[in-house]
Amino acid sequence: MDDFERGRNPSKRTEHSSIVRSLSRSSWIMEDVFSGSMQSRRSGAGDEDEEALKWAAIQRLPTYDRLRTSIMQSFVDHEIVGNKVEHRQVDVTKLDMNERQKFIDMLFKVAEEDNEKFLKKLRNRIDKVGITLPTVEVRYQQLTIEANCYTGSRALPSLPNVARNIAESALGMLGITLAKTTNLTILNEVSGIIKPSRMTLLLGPPSSGKTTLLLALAGKLDQSLRVKGEVTYNGYRLNEFVPKKTSAYISQNDVHVGEMTVKETFDFSTRCQGVGTRYDLLSELARREKDAGIFPEADVDLFMKATAMEGVESSLITDYTLKLLGLDICKDIIVGDEMQRGISGGQKKRVTTGEMIVGPTKTLFMDEISTGLDSSTTYQIVKCLQQVVHLTEATILMSLLQPAPETFDLFDDIILLSQGQIVYQGPREHILDFFEACGFKCPERKDTADFLQEVMWKPGCPTHI
């Protein structure tokens, strides 16, 4: 009866066949999706197994070879799977220029965001095995710096005055003084602490003593100056160790070799400064990971090993710094000087900053690094430095003349200097309350940094109270 009715009613027969076809099609789609997901899951598990086997092989190498060998990840096109991750065992001292550039481009697409993510992964690797990073706390107590200055026409930089200065300096060694000089107090009994893991901003009007304070903390003062008080690094005075190996001073003057390219300048600076304690940290880290059976992330391990090797002609830290400062677009252009054209003034200022931060020093005294830079570039550089400070426990004291509001908010502590005396030193959040208690209230919609600069010039400034 049913067959008879289906034969007599063609609409029911068509509906039945369409339902069968749709069910078979849906089951085929579900089977294809399920098999595809299983295949991708199986391929992912295979990649993890392949990486684990390579890490196990690296762990069995001798210590010297193990610290030079890492795994580089790269994407290759596969006909069936598509983009497949390939794990290749490499010697970090033999990476060519294309491999280093490809690694940096893959790791740091957006400098500010990706740098913070990478530093967090690096810090997590260190914390996982219980290693404490070394820190430097800089203290200065009752620091007074004075200089003898010529007055009147004798102070002009003329040729006769230069000749007289040379002659009088020779007589001065015998205790004979001919020219009249006046005593100038640059810093007057200043005291303070520069703490690690906190970004510190040094603000003050011109001729307030900012450069002299930075030079004094870095141990690079002119020998002709008279210095009283003391500067200590973790309780050690400057004459008890070599401060140039612990700290770096970044000058506001751009002094470079004009014939060298930007990349060559960074490579030369890297070889001169060495790797510091990076190799010792890597050796202890690898030992603890081997004892605990921990396999590190490939990108973090490759970066740490490549930046800890001495004697390489071009280090990965150079490519990292070029990307961080936005100088990768001009890395093959000569720096230039007065006689030959090179990079722009803003790029040259970034080269001055970069050639010092490529080194292993984590204590930086930076003098007016924003001169010639726009506010966006300054913010990007300070933001990356803030990430380095907070995640690697570095110590940075930076002097800026007029920071933008978003740049000013990146700092943790503020030091205000006026006429050789410290007006305020403490957290950035409390500085407006301090001046309001002194009778100086910041107007609404007024930039905080501009307000502080204006207050420094007023006769009623707290430095006179």
Side-chain angles (χ1 to χ4, degrees):
M1 182 68 179
D2 295 336
D3 296 337
F4 178 74
E5 290 181 354
R6 281 197 297 269
R8 291 180 57 187
N9 194 346
S11 61
K12 289 185 179 182
R13 183 174 57 190
T14 305
E15 181 180 0
H16 175 74
S17 60
S18 63
I19 291 173
V20 172
R21 283 196 302 270
S22 62
L23 287 174
S24 62
R25 189 182 300 111
S26 62
S27 62
W28 175 79
I29 293 173
M30 290 178 63
E31 181 181 359
D32 183 67
V33 171
F34 181 75
S35 63
S37 62
M38 286 294 292
Q39 183 178 4
S40 62
R41 198 176 305 160
R42 198 179 299 115
S43 63
D47 293 339
E48 293 178 359
D49 294 340
E50 179 187 0
E51 184 180 3
L53 289 175
K54 289 185 178 295
W55 280 120
I58 293 176
Q59 295 283 15
R60 290 193 295 268
L61 293 174
T63 303
Y64 180 75
D65 294 333
R66 187 172 73 249
L67 296 181
R68 297 162 58 96
T69 308
S70 185
I71 294 178
M72 174 173 281
Q73 294 180 346
S74 59
F75 293 93
V76 294
D77 293 332
H78 197 273
E79 295 180 358
I80 300 176
V81 183
N83 288 335
K84 181 182 178 182
V85 180
E86 181 185 27
H87 302 89
R88 184 163 53 91
Q89 186 172 316
V90 295
D91 187 346
V92 295
T93 61
K94 297 180 180 179
L95 295 175
D96 58 22
M97 181 178 61
N98 294 329
E99 290 175 334
R100 293 196 308 269
Q101 189 62 44
K102 187 181 296 185
F103 175 78
I104 293 296
D105 292 339
M106 181 185 67
L107 206 59
F108 302 99
K109 293 184 174 66
V110 181
E112 304 166 18
E113 300 175 1
D114 296 336
N115 182 59
E116 184 176 10
K117 295 177 183 177
F118 177 76
L119 290 177
K120 285 182 178 179
K121 292 194 295 184
L122 189 146
R123 183 59 189 266
N124 290 335
R125 180 188 180 186
I126 296 174
D127 293 340
K128 192 179 295 183
V129 294
I131 293 180
T132 303
L133 291 175
T135 59
V136 177
E137 183 181 84
V138 182
R139 292 173 178 260
Y140 52 100
Q141 185 175 5
Q142 300 295 318
L143 187 62
T144 301
I145 300 176
E146 299 175 344
N148 289 329
C149 302
Y150 296 108
T151 59
S153 61
R154 187 68 176 81
L156 297 177
S158 60
L159 187 59
N161 286 340
V162 172
R164 292 179 62 181
N165 291 341
I166 296 175
E168 290 178 1
S169 62
L171 294 175
M173 298 176 64
L174 302 175
I176 302 174
T177 304
L178 299 178
K180 294 183 179 180
T181 59
T182 182
N183 184 45
L184 176 64
T185 302
I186 304 175
L187 295 178
N188 186 12
E189 295 185 355
V190 295
S191 301
I193 304 174
I194 312 298
K195 297 181 179 180
S197 301
R198 296 183 66 84
M199 282 278 288
T200 306
L201 173 63
L202 179 60
L203 276 179
S207 302
S208 60
K210 300 191 297 295
T211 300
T212 304
L213 177 60
L214 292 172
L215 288 170
L217 297 180
K220 293 189 175 182
L221 276 177
D222 194 307
Q223 297 297 326
S224 62
L225 298 176
R226 296 192 301 274
V227 181
K228 300 177 183 178
E230 63 179 12
V231 177
T232 60
Y233 285 47
N234 290 342
Y236 294 93
R237 296 172 181 165
L238 296 182
N239 57 358
E240 297 177 351
F241 67 103
V242 182
K244 294 180 181 179
K245 294 183 178 181
T246 306
S247 63
Y249 169 75
I250 300 176
S251 173
Q252 56 182 323
N253 301 318
D254 303 325
V255 182
H256 306 289
V257 179
E259 291 80 7
M260 297 176 64
T261 65
V262 175
K263 190 176 186 305
E264 290 173 347
T265 302
F266 283 11
D267 286 333
F268 178 74
S269 178
T270 303
R271 292 196 299 269
C272 289
Q273 297 185 62
V275 297
T277 59
R278 291 174 186 163
Y279 187 85
D280 297 332
L281 173 64
L282 178 64
S283 178
E284 180 65 19
L285 182 62
R287 185 188 65 81
R288 296 193 183 189
E289 286 180 341
K290 182 179 180 181
D291 295 340
I294 300 174
F295 293 153
E297 296 189 37
D299 52 355
V300 177
D301 184 74
L302 177 64
F303 181 85
M304 293 186 69
K305 289 180 177 178
T307 56
M309 294 296 115
E310 290 183 334
V312 293
E313 184 176 352
S314 182
S315 176
L316 188 64
I317 194 68
T318 296
D319 302 276
Y320 169 70
T321 308
L322 289 171
K323 187 72 173 181
L324 208 64
L325 299 178
L327 294 173
D328 51 336
I329 59 175
C330 62
K331 62 180 180 180
D332 296 323
I333 303 176
I334 63 172
V335 178
D337 51 19
E338 293 80 2
M339 300 300 296
Q340 48 190 346
R341 180 176 297 177
I343 58 178
S344 66
Q347 291 171 339
K348 193 174 296 186
K349 174 60 66 175
R350 281 178 275 173
V351 171
T352 305
T353 303
E355 68 178 354
M356 297 307 300
I357 66 176
V358 293
T361 55
K362 295 173 57 180
T363 305
L364 299 175
F365 301 102
M366 318 178 77
D367 192 4
E368 297 291 350
I369 65 169
S370 63
T371 304
L373 301 180
D374 58 277
S375 58
S376 176
T377 305
T378 304
Y379 174 82
Q380 178 184 348
I381 295 174
V382 176
K383 178 67 175 178
C384 293
L385 291 174
Q386 182 209 39
Q387 295 165 358
V388 172
V389 168
H390 289 170
L391 295 174
T392 65
E393 299 186 12
T395 304
I396 291 183
L397 175 61
M398 184 184 303
S399 168
L400 297 176
L401 187 60
Q402 283 184 317
E406 58 272 10
T407 305
F408 180 81
D409 293 338
L410 294 176
F411 290 90
D412 303 305
D413 295 328
I414 305 294
I415 297 177
L416 292 182
L417 199 62
S418 178
Q419 298 181 5
Q421 293 181 334
I422 291 182
V423 180
Y424 175 86
Q425 177 172 358
R428 173 182 51 83
E429 295 83 4
H430 302 158
I431 190 168
L432 291 180
D433 297 335
F434 169 78
F435 278 99
E436 187 173 355
C438 296
F440 299 93
K441 185 176 181 180
C442 180
E444 296 182 0
R445 297 185 296 275
K446 180 72 173 180
D447 184 13
T448 305
D450 292 342
F451 166 73
L452 296 176
Q453 294 282 20
E454 293 177 2
V455 169
M456 293 296 100
W457 286 96
K458 293 184 179 180
C461 173
T463 187
H464 302 285
I465 298 176

